[in-house]
Amino acid sequence: MLKRLLVISRPLAWTWTIGAYLVGIGSFGHFNILSLVEFLFMFFPINLIVYGLNDVYDRKSDRINPNKDEFQGAKVKENEIKTIKKICIILSIAFIMLSLISKNLEHIILSSSLILLAYIYSVPPIRIKSKPLIDSFFGSIGYLIPILIAYTTYSSLSNIPLNYLLLIFPLMAGHAIFALRDLKYDKKTSSKTIGAYLGKRKTLIFAVIMYLIPLIFLNNLFLRAVFLTSILFVIFALFIDFKKKDYTTQLVSGVFFSTNLTLIYFILKANFG
């Protein structure tokens, strides 16, 4: 079962919860017992909660998706549902209880919000994932919150750098593009993701706009180069005739690489100046 849970938690996706927490911690000197345990939660436990719930309630489209049971999670079996839900609840309670040790209201609210978001994103009746555009916003918020959680272990949100908050826009772009991987299967099962709602071309245009916004506020050559490269990559995809060949995998890989490159920059900047 442990191997199945690892597949469901999508180890490749751990980079963003782990990395986001490292960005927020600001300096390795800020680590204490609480933040160290929370950091360990950002590996397997948090991702199992997020993607475990996702896979449980995405069973309909996952059944016909050949990408599942590889790098994009698992096709959850009926006899696994109760166990996955139970483990997600236990880990969720443990993470919220852990935050109480901080005795910091901001920290407790943010930690609880991360868990709450995992549930309302995937679980009916709210299921934000089925609400186009809103799904992209809240999906990216989910990757931004670990930064804020880590930051509030040593400082107030009122002091947080604007650069950290601007990350939400490229994250929204990435979230929208990643949704295109399952476009064909989402359409077949009438799943209302941003990709299925807007279609491939409009989703790519949306991503370009999201990449453009931080360029207005960021005066950093490296980040501008990364975002401009991402924009050019997406624009190139806009003019490809997808009927001849589907380049979605290459597009997703490129965006995944650029997103992680941005994350690495922020980690180095925050922890080494």
Side-chain angles (χ1 to χ4, degrees):
M1 186 62 185
L2 179 58
K3 185 178 179 181
R4 286 285 292 167
L5 293 174
L6 281 170
V7 172
I8 291 169
S9 73
R10 297 165 172 69
L12 284 178
W14 296 5
T15 56
W16 253 98
T17 47
I18 295 168
Y21 199 89
L22 286 177
V23 171
I25 205 68
S27 166
F28 291 116
H30 288 148
F31 268 113
N32 53 35
I33 298 298
L34 171 62
S35 53
L36 183 59
V37 176
E38 283 185 340
F39 177 61
L40 294 176
F41 257 86
M42 295 297 153
F43 285 74
F44 171 73
I46 290 296
N47 286 285
L48 179 62
I49 295 168
V50 172
Y51 296 115
L53 293 171
N54 178 82
D55 287 350
V56 165
Y57 292 97
D58 268 3
R59 298 193 307 280
K60 188 177 178 182
S61 61
D62 288 351
R63 284 193 201 104
I64 59 172
N65 190 338
N67 296 321
K68 292 295 178 176
D69 283 329
E70 293 179 0
F71 299 112
Q72 294 183 36
K75 295 179 181 178
V76 174
K77 300 169 185 175
E78 294 300 319
N79 63 350
E80 296 175 323
I81 294 173
K82 189 177 288 187
T83 301
I84 293 170
K85 285 183 177 179
K86 190 180 293 184
I87 292 173
C88 286
I89 290 172
I90 292 170
L91 291 175
S92 298
I93 294 171
F95 187 69
I96 293 172
M97 294 299 291
L98 179 65
S99 73
L100 296 176
I101 297 173
S102 70
K103 298 179 181 178
N104 179 323
L105 186 58
E106 285 184 339
H107 188 78
I108 295 167
I109 290 173
L110 285 166
S111 299
S112 302
S113 297
L114 181 61
I115 298 301
L116 177 63
L117 182 57
Y119 280 84
I120 66 174
Y121 184 82
S122 295
V123 182
I126 299 177
R127 191 165 163 78
I128 292 171
K129 186 173 182 178
S130 64
K131 296 171 174 56
L133 299 182
I134 297 176
D135 67 329
S136 186
F137 176 75
F138 279 96
S140 57
I141 283 284
Y143 284 108
L144 187 66
I145 290 179
I147 295 177
L148 307 182
I149 290 173
Y151 191 81
T152 54
T153 60
Y154 64 91
S155 186
S156 169
L157 285 178
S158 60
N159 301 320
I160 198 160
L162 176 63
N163 285 358
Y164 291 179
L165 301 179
L166 286 174
L167 270 173
I168 191 169
F169 296 106
L171 283 172
M172 286 178 70
H175 180 278
I177 291 170
F178 294 156
L180 293 178
R181 291 174 302 184
D182 301 325
L183 177 60
K184 181 167 62 176
Y185 314 106
D186 287 338
K187 281 186 173 181
K188 284 182 179 179
T189 55
S190 300
S191 298
K192 297 177 181 178
T193 61
I194 185 172
Y197 177 74
L198 292 179
K200 188 166 288 185
R201 198 162 294 277
K202 288 181 180 178
T203 299
L204 293 176
I205 292 171
F206 170 81
V208 169
I209 294 170
M210 291 301 101
Y211 277 126
L212 282 171
I213 293 174
L215 289 178
I216 299 171
F217 300 98
L218 290 176
N219 189 25
N220 180 286
L221 186 61
F222 177 81
L223 291 178
R224 282 188 167 185
V226 171
F227 294 148
L228 281 171
T229 301
S230 298
I231 289 170
L232 291 173
F233 197 59
V234 176
I235 289 174
F236 175 73
L238 271 169
F239 294 97
I240 289 175
D241 186 354
F242 283 98
K243 291 179 180 178
K244 291 183 178 179
K245 185 177 180 181
D246 191 346
Y247 288 89
T248 303
T249 301
Q250 290 86 338
L251 177 61
V252 168
S253 299
V255 171
F256 182 80
F257 175 77
S258 67
T259 305
N260 279 281
L261 198 60
T262 305
L263 181 64
I264 291 168
Y265 168 82
F266 271 101
I267 293 171
L268 295 176
K269 185 75 175 175
N271 292 282
F272 299 103

